[in-house]
Amino acid sequence: MELNAIIRTLLQRLLQLIPVLLGISVITFALMHLTSGDPAEIMLRADGIKPTYEAIEAARIALGLDGPVYMQYVHWLYRVLHLDLGISYSSNRPVFTELMNRFPATALLSGCSLLAAILIALPMGVGSALYPGKWFDRLGRVCALFSVSMPGYWLGLLLIYYGSVKLKLLPVTGMDGVSSVILPAFTLGFGMAGVYIRLIRSSLLDVLATLYIKAARAKGLQEWRVITRHALRNALLPSLTLLGVNIAGLLGGSVVVETIFSWPGIGKYVIEAIFAKDYIVIQGYVLWMAVVVVLINLAVDSLHLMLDPRIRLR
Amino acid sequence: MNNESTLLKVSHLSASFHTGSQQVRAVEDVSLEVRSGQIVALVGESGSGKSVTAMSILGLLDPPGCIDSGDIWLHGHNLRECSTRQLRKLRGTEMAVIFQDPMNALNPVLPVGRQIMETIALHRQVTGQEAKQLAMKQMQQAGLNDPAQLFSKYPFQISGGMCQRVMIAIALASGASLLIADEPTTALDVTIQAQILTELDRIRRANHMGILLITHDLGVVAELADYVYVMKSGRIVESGNVFDIFSRPVHPYTKYLMDCR
Amino acid sequence: MFRISLLKNNGVKLGAGIILVFIGAGLFAPWLSPSDPLQIHMEHKLSMPSWDYPLGTDHLGRCVLSRLIYGTRTTLYYSFAVLTVVFAISIPVGLLAGYAGGKIDQLIMRIIDILLAFPSLILSLAITAMLGASMKNLLIAFAAVWWTGYARVIRSLVLQIKEGGYIAAAAASGTSHLQIVLRHILPVAARPILVLASMEVGTIMLSIAGLSFLGLGAQPPTPEWGMMLNDSRAYIQTEPRLMLFPGMVILLAVLGFNLLGEGLRRSARDYDTREVSVR
């Protein structure tokens, strides 16, 4: 019965996604028309090809920019639905394949960054809530403030300098074994942690003041069980909601961090494409990232459904 | 009734709240006694210190509240001298509590059955299956029919009265000899109120429990209690056998409370 | 009450102090800078701190301190420009959606939902890339992407304010819609909006410097902190001081605005709850 409720809610969400996905496709398509001047010509010039009439026409067809705008969109959408995001101008390979080759590295980095953020935020947030006003709480506040104020790109450079160049503890850049993910993941995770330290602290404080926590203590439960079994599960639900929003920030931040650490993911790839004026890659990248964010939000929603019976069964 | 052993004895208890440099007395020199199988009512208006007294007994007074002086004896243990750990063990085994607001006294994201099992697992070395069986038995004891169906329900899916019965089942499962009932019926419908009160009366006879009933409702007191303490502004102003209090109230405040009814 | 609690807050004082120092540095850049931030001295390139160059020189022999001081102008100017444009869009849109309700509200919210599906940094990155890398295009890109979140917050503020009986009373007495919005709703919403803005300056500064770091914002030879950091990457092994100073300056500036914003939010909340509890 409960499983049915989950499936029904998820199906509803999926249906609601259709207009959002369509809107995403329109905006992504429109991006190509933002270029000042003819993107086909700019691209040819960037490649050092003489923009003859024939070359421009060919480039237009390759970019899907021939014919009236609405027909361009329909053709483009048709191709996109068949996972055809066009051909990269600099590598002559399908954009979708290029993105897929690099996405696992980005997914790995994002996952590890999330883990790093949790490893920082959970103990700090919980500790701050358990000892409000004490030194640990103050440490948590300072830590949260630095987390939201620290430029990730600078933190990355500092870590490269002190972690790799000076102390020679960890590999400098690139993707080479387990240890190479530590520095970029920490860079990205630290920036994310601050918001969660604050949120976990405040929601845990709220939960600890509730009657059911008093009732759990009155049962004679050990304090650690009261915290882990009764308080945390309720206190972490708001953080889970925020997670859906922050995943987008995480993926955005991965562009910077991948560039600094030469991490072979799609963020570094898109920066290269931007400087090569490979517009079709930029377009494909934006579309793919938006779809990933939408799907992750769906996953977070379903996790929320599983963990909070109040949403599931009402 | 007088030959019953004394279960709970509170003597000269004072408690206060410390905010900044200020200190506000909430309970002043309170002494009371509960015997096994007895229902003792602590009556007063809100803010008179009833609940602070109850929470002091349980050792669950939230900061900035703290006990200043006095002794609390439960079954030969001096609770004021117990360590946090000992006090916690006593809460699980010797004393239990039910609250005014049963809907919020149960964890919203755990099925009610699990919350009863939790108490059982705390006291006895049992397998999961046995704990579940015991939990269902306690639910039936607390007047919940069809425990199998209720077991996996969440608190928000059942009524307030049922939530209170679940709380009673948890109290029963702990095997406590003292039950502190803090305004157990205030938040419930009138018809449900009567049922819960009857239930409390039944279990104190069946389980030979002592109940400290905290209420502002003299109707409840008249119906259920054996002995009454009347509290005002943190002090006990009058106490006595329920019949004496109702027939010959001495303190003007007691008379006032009766007139308010 | 609002003011008193603000002045008591050390974080606010510290934050305001830091911000004043930066604004001063930006205003008096020509007098404070020891040398011309754009002047290239290849014969002095990568030199260590000295009397002439208090923080040394970069890879083109330009004075690092002067570039940092002039960089304050770039960052502050564009941060406030972004903030202004973002609020110039989001306030009217949020007011319209919240006040009009119905179909208009639904349409606006749908568009916002769609825009919010894109990671904001990625979309502004892509728009800048399509328009061509420059500070002006960066401003356009940020404005196009960032108004959504604020419009949504302002809309919900308006919905809350509309609940108040005096709005209905004003409408009943024949006040025009525009007057209701301008006289009754906007003034009430103003303070929460200001608090929101103060909390976001830091984030905007981080993003501007971030895109400049990637080469999509300020273009050489404009002195800009993020670009200075990017320039320093090539010399991280030999001249780490080059990346140390710009990063520190960004951190300090953002810290200042975050301290102020957080303090404002906290005292605003105190004030509001006090107001509510009086009633």
Side-chain angles (χ1 to χ4, degrees), chain B:
Chain B
M1 204 177 313
N2 282 333
N3 52 16
E4 290 289 352
S5 61
T6 302
L7 182 61
L8 172 78
K9 186 175 162 64
V10 176
S11 52
H12 309 293
L13 179 76
S14 293
S16 53
F17 289 92
H18 300 260
T19 47
S21 53
Q22 284 193 326
Q23 185 184 351
V24 182
R25 261 290 149 85
V27 172
E28 180 91 61
D29 196 27
V30 163
S31 300
L32 54 83
E33 251 183 67
V34 180
R35 293 163 189 270
S36 294
Q38 199 183 27
I39 294 186
V40 174
L42 190 56
V43 195
E45 290 171 318
S46 55
S48 60
K50 302 168 296 185
S51 287
V52 177
T53 307
M55 290 304 133
S56 301
I57 295 169
L58 284 164
L60 288 174
L61 200 55
D62 286 326
C66 73
I67 298 175
D68 298 323
S69 60
D71 285 314
I72 303 165
W73 290 87
L74 177 73
H75 251 333
H77 307 275
N78 186 348
L79 301 190
R80 287 270 283 146
E81 281 166 8
C82 283
S83 66
T84 327
R85 199 184 147 84
Q86 288 168 319
L87 206 55
R88 179 176 65 68
K89 288 222 159 135
L90 286 174
R91 275 203 294 272
T93 49
E94 294 293 331
M95 52 184 170
V97 61
I98 60 178
F99 293 98
Q100 172 173 357
D101 189 359
M103 302 284 261
N104 289 322
L106 291 165
N107 190 330
V109 298
L110 291 180
V112 293
R114 297 223 153 263
Q115 304 193 44
I116 303 172
M117 273 171 70
E118 193 176 53
T119 308
I120 292 167
L122 208 59
H123 300 287
R124 273 164 273 195
Q125 292 291 329
V126 285
T127 63
Q129 262 314 311
E130 287 165 345
K132 188 169 178 176
Q133 290 304 323
L134 280 168
M136 297 229 229
K137 211 180 105 202
Q138 299 297 355
M139 286 167 90
Q140 232 148 12
Q141 284 266 306
L144 289 162
N145 306 317
D146 202 3
Q149 195 245 337
L150 269 171
F151 197 84
S152 56
K153 291 277 188 212
Y154 291 94
F156 62 85
Q157 291 177 300
I158 61 180
S159 69
M162 281 168 134
C163 280
Q164 197 61 294
R165 287 180 191 271
V166 171
M167 289 302 290
I168 293 173
I170 290 173
L172 289 177
S174 72
S177 46
L178 172 72
L179 176 67
I180 296 179
D182 188 356
E183 304 265 9
T185 56
T186 311
L188 305 175
D189 291 341
V190 185
T191 47
I192 310 292
Q193 279 186 15
Q195 290 174 16
I196 294 289
L197 291 175
T198 319
E199 204 62 49
L200 287 179
D201 196 35
R202 194 182 62 74
I203 58 172
R204 66 114 166 216
R205 287 177 210 287
N207 299 36
H208 208 62
M209 240 181 189
I211 298 180
L212 179 62
L213 179 70
I214 294 166
T215 182
H216 64 273
D217 186 347
L218 282 175
V220 171
V221 175
E223 197 172 321
L224 220 54
D226 304 307
Y227 202 84
V228 184
Y229 292 90
V230 181
M231 211 169 167
K232 182 183 189 264
S233 312
R235 291 171 178 276
I236 303 264
V237 293
E238 183 168 5
S239 64
N241 187 298
V242 68
F243 303 108
D244 298 340
I245 291 272
F246 274 84
S247 51
R248 292 185 301 276
V250 180
H251 196 275
Y253 181 67
T254 314
K255 290 178 189 159
Y256 163 78
L257 279 180
M258 292 196 185
D259 292 339
C260 284
R261 225 149 41 91

Side-chain angles (χ1 to χ4, degrees), chain C residues 60-74:
Chain C
L60 296 175
R62 294 173 298 195
C63 174
V64 169
L65 179 63
S66 306
R67 288 182 69 72
L68 285 177
I69 293 176
Y70 272 90
T72 311
R73 286 187 163 187
T74 320

Side-chain angles (χ1 to χ4, degrees), chain C residues 106-125:
Chain C
Q106 274 177 12
L107 181 71
I108 292 174
M109 288 314 288
R110 213 1 91 68
I111 294 172
I112 288 177
D113 277 348
I114 290 165
L115 279 171
L116 282 176
F118 292 94
S120 58
L121 191 75
I122 287 175
L123 191 56
S124 37
L125 187 91

Side-chain angles (χ1 to χ4, degrees), chain A residues 14-37:
Chain A
L14 270 176
L15 278 178
Q16 287 166 354
L17 277 188
I18 292 172
V20 172
L21 286 173
L22 269 177
I24 286 174
S25 76
V26 170
I27 291 172
T28 317
F29 171 77
L31 270 182
M32 193 61 100
H33 293 257
L34 280 178
T35 50
S36 50

Side-chain angles (χ1 to χ4, degrees), chain A residues 238-259:
Chain A
S239 295
L240 189 63
T241 317
L242 189 70
L243 192 63
V245 181
N246 275 17
I247 290 285
L250 191 67
L251 291 172
S254 69
V255 177
V256 176
V257 172
E258 285 179 10
T259 308

